[in-house]
Amino acid sequence: MTLDFSTAPLEGRARLDYWREVVCTTFVQYEMDVPQPTSAGFRGRVTAQTLGDLGVARVVSDPHTVFRSPTLIRRSGEDDLLVNLAVQGCVTVSQQERDAVLRPGDFTVYDSARPCRIVCADPFELLVLKVPRPLFDAHCPLARDAMATTVPGDHGVGALFAPFFHSLTAHSAGLSPDARARIGATLLDLLATALSERTDSGARLGVPRAAHMDRARRYIIDHIADPDLSPAMVARALGISVRYLHAIFRAEDTSPSRWILQQRIDRAAGLLADPGRAGRSVTDIAYAVGFKDASHFTRAFKDRHGFSPREYRRRLAG
């Protein structure tokens, strides 16, 4: 079902009060600054629909600014990611000391759980995609420092995402719920590809390869005890693609999986060498550093140190 909200039937102050209610109900709770309206009064229209669990809306409005302050975030408790795609006018989305200036066709992502500001200085038209965080993280994880980064709509995968998003808002209303849900999944996959293309270069987000490597290493060390730690998990946490993660480790003549294994073995060696942990079994230590299988731990440890874990412990003790 498509919902259509417009200030046109109202007059005077009632238009702004209604607009605030529409925006906060359709998207998330915002505070709002509106320039002095014209003699005709403030004009705004939102056409909203759903694609499975996604919210999709077209906004046509007079200039105004919306923002989410820390106080409002604590009070509202919403936790969604929002994609803004400019259709007409210029829109600036600011978050984490980063400004995404959107010209028609460009889009960006911002996090509703963090302070943000969206400035529309001129009359504008905007497409908005609202994605619940679990769904967003499952399809297109993004580095926290990449929010409010402009993805151009005139080249690369962004040039495919923008017209697809624009077209589905115009033509999906008559489709079945199942078809709409599948189209929503396709939209998310296309968004993930566009964001991956944007983050794969690293430098285009202002994050050099060395910084990505440092973050990856720190994440691995901090989560080494997690038996499910994997390259995919690391890439998702950093907001980069698995392919790019492999590329930055390949530049160091290793791979993410190999580096994870080395860190586990080195952590285990430290525990085996600690007299205070002499009472812990080798199997307990293997599990404590993220191994799922004791025999795998023994083989990997011997390959790296030349001795089995038990022999390594005996030699240090003796």
Side-chain angles (χ1 to χ4, degrees), residues 30 66 77 81 87 101 109-110 113 128 135 137 140 144 168 173 189 198 217 255 258 261 264 272 289-290 305:
Y30 295 104
V66 296
L81 283 297
V87 178
V101 179
V109 182
Y110 66 94
V128 181
L135 188 59
D137 288 344
C140 41
R144 292 172 66 87
L168 74 84
D189 287 341
R198 186 68 174 157
R217 286 172 171 165
S255 70
R258 191 178 307 127
L261 180 62
R264 283 182 167 148
L272 290 167
V289 298
H305 290 282

Side-chain angles (χ1 to χ4, degrees), residues 274-280:
D274 185 355
R277 292 178 169 82
R280 296 188 67 178

